[in-house]
Amino acid sequence: MALDTETRDQLIEAVRRFVAERLRPIEAQVAENDLVPDDVVAEMRDLGLFGLSIPEAYGGLGLSMEEECLVAIELGRTSPAFRSVIGTNVGIGSQGLVMFGTDEQKAKWLPGVASGEIVTSFALTEPEAGSDSASVQTRARRDGDVYVLDGAKRYITNANKAGLFTVMARTDPDKKGAAGVSAFLVPGDLPGLSVGKPEKKMGQQGAHICDVIFEGVRVPAENRLGAEGEGFKVAMQVLDRGRLHISAVCVGVAERLIRDAVAYASERKQFGQTLASFQLIQAMIADSKTEALAAKALLLDSARKRDAGETVTLEAAATKLFASEMVGRVADRAVQIFGGAGYVADYGIERLYRDVRIFRIYEGTSQIQQLVVARETIKRGG
Amino acid sequence: MKVLVPVKRVIDSNVKARVKPDQTGVDLANVKMSMNPFCEIAVEEAVRMKEKGVADEIVAVSIGPVQAQETIRTALAMGADRGVLIQTDTDVEPLEVAKLLKAVIEQEAPGLVLMGKQAIDGDNNAVGQMLAALLDWPQATFASKVEVSGQTVKVTREVDGGLQTLELDLPAVVTADLRLNEPRYASLPNIMKAKKKPIDVKAPADYGVDVAGHLKVLKVTEPPKRTAGVKVENAAELVAKLKTEAGVL
């Protein structure tokens, strides 16, 4: 259900204010401690951020894709590590359940996911299955009314906090590729499931990724999402939505960086003039602004198409490709405009520069997006 | 107990106000508007009373243009139950605001009126006092603490040189100061639910109040711009300037 403009604006305004007043002031502290403080997570929970995309019937907000993107743009105006706290519940961790779950599965899990009591995680990537995600080796063997899971997942966001994993595992070893893969809802407390230590990363300190190991984890058969062999279909549809969400965050960070760069360029003087009065600086500002506007237009157009019921595999991939590469260039120019100050940690620009690097890699690398865009374009005949 | 909270739509406190070129007032075209921060504190206090079981209904009342509905919606999202908008495009003066509120209060019969001590646009700090006088109710202004017990309310006021504690019989008018509480963020689900709460839209004429007003604004000007300071070479020069130019020594 689409919101009326007034309610939508109030919603966006509430998030913008929360980001400006509560999150931005502690960005450096979160990066330093590699931790989003518990009280801030509690505030995010109270605000209702964990339930953005969960249907209203299950206690969420049931936002449309366009509305979710507008909220994600606001969350992008601060360190992406904050967005990551709620990111899996809004996106990849919950959407398989929302799209393919039975009524029983939804009733059991979604209220906790919407409130943020249960943090979710999406476990697809493996040591040997990254971009080639259809080659997952984690096994799910049927044993009476349970499936026994064995294998390892890698770089799983929020795994160390997750109460529920959406896991892609191979149910049919004879079928190579996507056809043998099924999706499962795996509670984090099942015996045999263990989570590794958070990896040390280039950026986004405060957001964590870990290995997840399955050793004879007995998952009730009723926890299978969709039919056997449908896992990949689940994964791909989840990723379509996730790609638009990530693109929105890219647009938000880009707008933030442009704002910071313009503020700095308007203050800082060299050769007796502000940086902003030099045409070579202006060119960088113009390029960044133009690209950010283009990404936003593409994003909102794609989101509206998805809300109208169209298949947006092509548009979602194209948006993520453009938006993630765009924010990389915008961040690079922001460092350049700040000059030495951009390279020094105090200004936070170098931190955002590192933070945005992951957008070109996760939920499908830019190269995978190119393949998807090309494949879909050829399929459509142009 | 029913609590009535008047709320005003004002220029957002983070916006830099600009005077119109013809000096007739503050330029509000395309400027972000929000609930007056002191009204927000009053709403928060009322919601806390409801959460404690002291209040059972909160009515938010606003006087202003059609957009003042958004301000009422903000109060509803924070926890108020319903709203009354007295719609007018006139910039209503404090005395007429007080008269309109008195008329609403006579209909609603609340046990307590909680309101901001002043609005940050005109800084008049007048409506609460005028309203109490018109109603012939006790008043406590600049509240930093409000405790209702039975038929009385104990109010701690911030006064020059310390704190004053008053006990008032209910019904009463209490105006909120900055340190009464820290208003909550309306949660996103509550913002959505606020849409379903009722707002009655009225006109000043429904209450028989003429909002024409008695005051005439002659001129509005920007505060004088600060001029750049001067650098002094040494302490002797500083002392000399303080004596001759600043005239403080």
Side-chain angles (χ1 to χ4, degrees):
Chain A
M1 179 201 69
L3 298 172
D4 60 284
T5 325
E6 187 194 324
T7 310
R8 192 181 80 179
D9 290 350
Q10 288 212 333
L11 211 68
I12 305 296
E13 180 54 37
V15 177
R16 179 175 299 173
R17 188 172 158 193
F18 179 73
V19 167
E21 292 176 5
R22 300 293 300 147
L23 304 186
R24 281 191 62 154
I26 58 166
E27 285 176 356
Q29 175 204 325
V30 165
E32 176 83 22
N33 301 339
D34 191 17
L35 182 76
V36 179
D38 287 345
D39 57 332
V40 175
V41 176
E43 283 183 50
M44 293 168 92
R45 222 179 269 139
D46 291 344
L47 196 59
L49 287 175
F50 284 88
L52 295 177
S53 63
I54 310 297
E56 281 185 273
Y58 298 102
L61 296 177
L63 296 188
S64 69
M65 192 70 235
E66 184 186 358
E67 290 154 1
E68 183 189 323
C69 285
L70 292 171
V71 171
I73 290 174
E74 295 308 321
L75 292 171
R77 297 188 204 282
T78 184
S79 293
F82 292 113
R83 200 276 326 176
S84 191
V85 172
I86 60 139
T88 48
N89 276 33
V90 172
I92 52 178
S94 73
Q95 287 306 303
L97 178 52
V98 171
M99 293 178 203
F100 295 91
T102 62
D103 289 346
E104 291 76 24
Q105 288 170 336
K106 289 185 194 173
K108 183 170 179 189
W109 298 105
L110 284 182
V113 176
S115 69
E117 267 165 77
I118 302 171
V119 171
T120 57
S121 240
F122 180 73
L124 170 62
T125 298
E126 297 182 358
E128 300 300 328
S131 288
D132 183 12
S133 51
S135 70
V136 294
Q137 292 169 4
T138 296
R139 276 282 281 133
R141 235 173 349 97
R142 182 87 191 217
D143 179 16
D145 53 6
V146 299
Y147 286 90
V148 183
L149 265 62
D150 284 286
K153 297 288 180 182
R154 177 148 292 175
Y155 306 147
I156 305 305
T157 303
N158 285 343
N160 53 342
K161 305 173 198 85
L164 182 69
F165 293 86
T166 304
V167 181
M168 300 298 152
R170 190 165 294 282
T171 36
D172 189 344
D174 298 331
K175 284 190 190 147
K176 296 292 165 215
V181 178
S182 305
F184 297 92
L185 296 167
V186 182
D189 58 1
L190 288 188
L193 188 157
S194 57
V195 175
K197 271 205 280 198
E199 303 285 354
K200 291 201 168 108
K201 314 194 299 314
M202 178 181 190
Q204 297 209 14
Q205 272 70 29
H208 300 134
I209 57 172
C210 316
D211 282 354
V212 182
I213 315 294
F214 300 89
E215 290 167 306
V217 179
R218 297 175 73 80
V219 181
E222 69 208 36
N223 283 21
R224 197 186 62 228
L225 260 184
E228 269 198 21
E230 270 193 345
F232 213 65
K233 188 172 120 195
V234 173
M236 289 306 111
Q237 293 217 18
V238 165
L239 288 173
D240 274 356
R241 189 175 176 120
R243 282 167 184 168
L244 290 176
H245 180 100
I246 295 291
S247 303
V249 179
C250 292
V251 169
V253 181
E255 289 185 357
R256 150 79 183 272
L257 283 164
I258 294 169
R259 194 167 271 270
D260 285 1
V262 166
Y264 185 79
S266 307
E267 286 283 321
R268 166 91 173 157
K269 283 191 177 150
Q270 287 292 282
F271 306 103
Q273 297 176 63
T274 60
L275 295 187
S277 58
F278 292 103
Q279 289 187 332
L280 288 174
I281 299 287
Q282 289 175 6
M284 287 194 272
I285 292 171
D287 284 349
S288 289
K289 186 67 183 177
T290 305
E291 288 192 83
L293 284 171
K296 191 172 186 177
L298 177 59
L299 168 73
L300 294 178
D301 185 60
S302 304
R304 285 179 201 129
K305 279 189 178 144
R306 190 181 187 285
D307 286 335
E310 292 179 37
T311 302
V312 293
T313 305
L314 191 164
E315 287 79 2
T319 307
K320 178 169 185 274
L321 172 63
F322 185 74
S324 62
E325 295 285 335
M326 175 279 295
V327 74
R329 292 189 293 268
V330 168
D332 186 75
R333 290 186 202 110
V335 173
Q336 198 65 18
I337 291 170
F338 271 76
Y343 196 71
V344 166
D346 295 358
Y347 291 81
I349 299 298
E350 61 82 32
R351 188 186 64 235
L352 287 168
Y353 175 85
R354 288 182 285 110
D355 286 346
V356 301
R357 188 62 182 84
I358 189 62
F359 294 136
R360 290 155 64 188
I361 297 168
Y362 69 6
E363 298 198 25
T365 61
S366 287
Q367 289 65 39
I368 290 294
Q369 311 301 343
Q370 286 177 308
L371 295 182
V372 175
V373 172
R375 187 189 70 214
E376 295 296 316
T377 304
I378 293 164
K379 217 194 276 179
R380 290 186 195 179
Chain B
M1 180 178 70
K2 185 195 282 190
V3 179
L4 188 132
V5 188
V7 292
K8 186 173 186 188
R9 179 175 183 268
V10 297
I11 188 167
D12 187 88
S13 56
N14 293 313
V15 172
K16 194 175 178 305
R18 277 179 226 281
V19 172
K20 284 189 212 166
D22 64 2
Q23 298 196 313
T24 54
V26 172
D27 191 356
L28 296 180
N30 299 317
V31 170
K32 184 166 179 262
M33 306 291 281
S34 299
M35 189 193 293
N36 174 41
F38 291 108
C39 299
E40 225 179 347
I41 293 170
V43 174
E44 173 66 33
E45 195 64 18
V47 173
R48 289 185 190 186
M49 284 180 181
K50 193 174 172 193
E51 285 167 350
K52 278 190 219 141
V54 177
D56 50 29
E57 191 187 20
I58 302 167
V59 184
V61 183
S62 194
I63 302 166
V66 64
Q67 296 91 332
Q69 279 210 27
E70 292 166 22
T71 311
I72 296 178
R73 291 273 174 229
T74 305
L76 298 177
M78 288 174 73
D81 296 289
R82 60 190 174 84
V84 177
L85 170 64
I86 305 173
Q87 196 178 318
T88 170
D89 290 325
T90 310
D91 187 11
V92 186
E93 289 172 16
L95 181 59
E96 279 62 42
V97 171
K99 285 179 182 171
L100 283 168
L101 290 176
K102 174 176 183 260
V104 176
I105 287 161
E106 279 166 353
Q107 284 181 4
E108 295 281 349
L112 177 68
V113 176
L114 250 176
M115 57 199 292
K117 67 169 182 178
Q118 65 195 57
I120 60 164
D121 49 1
D123 274 349
N124 289 314
N125 190 336
V127 173
Q129 293 87 333
M130 287 177 171
L131 176 63
L134 291 176
L135 288 165
D136 199 19
W137 283 10
Q139 60 173 299
T141 52
F142 314 142
S144 63
K145 197 173 176 191
V146 179
E147 296 161 284
V148 173
S149 56
Q151 285 309 300
T152 60
V153 57
K154 200 195 265 184
V155 178
T156 306
R157 307 179 63 225
E158 298 191 344
V159 292
D160 287 345
L163 298 173
Q164 181 188 43
T165 307
L166 299 177
E167 192 173 77
L168 288 72
D169 289 331
L170 292 173
V173 176
V174 175
T175 73
D177 210 335
L178 194 64
R179 280 166 290 277
L180 179 58
N181 59 50
E182 208 176 303
R184 71 193 61 197
Y185 292 94
S187 77
L188 306 183
N190 285 344
I191 290 173
M192 288 170 66
K193 281 179 205 142
K195 191 71 197 169
K196 297 183 186 101
K197 294 181 179 176
I199 297 180
D200 268 349
V201 181
K202 303 278 194 184
D206 296 340
Y207 299 99
V209 175
D210 178 7
V211 293
H214 315 278
L215 305 173
K216 190 173 158 199
V217 174
L218 300 179
K219 198 164 106 178
V220 178
T221 53
E222 301 254 357
K225 292 223 169 15
R226 281 185 62 178
T227 48
V230 288
K231 274 187 186 163
V232 290
E233 288 295 326
N234 50 44
E237 194 186 337
L238 174 66
V239 172
K241 278 190 185 294
L242 287 175
K243 270 187 186 156
T244 57
E245 293 179 26
V248 291
L249 286 181

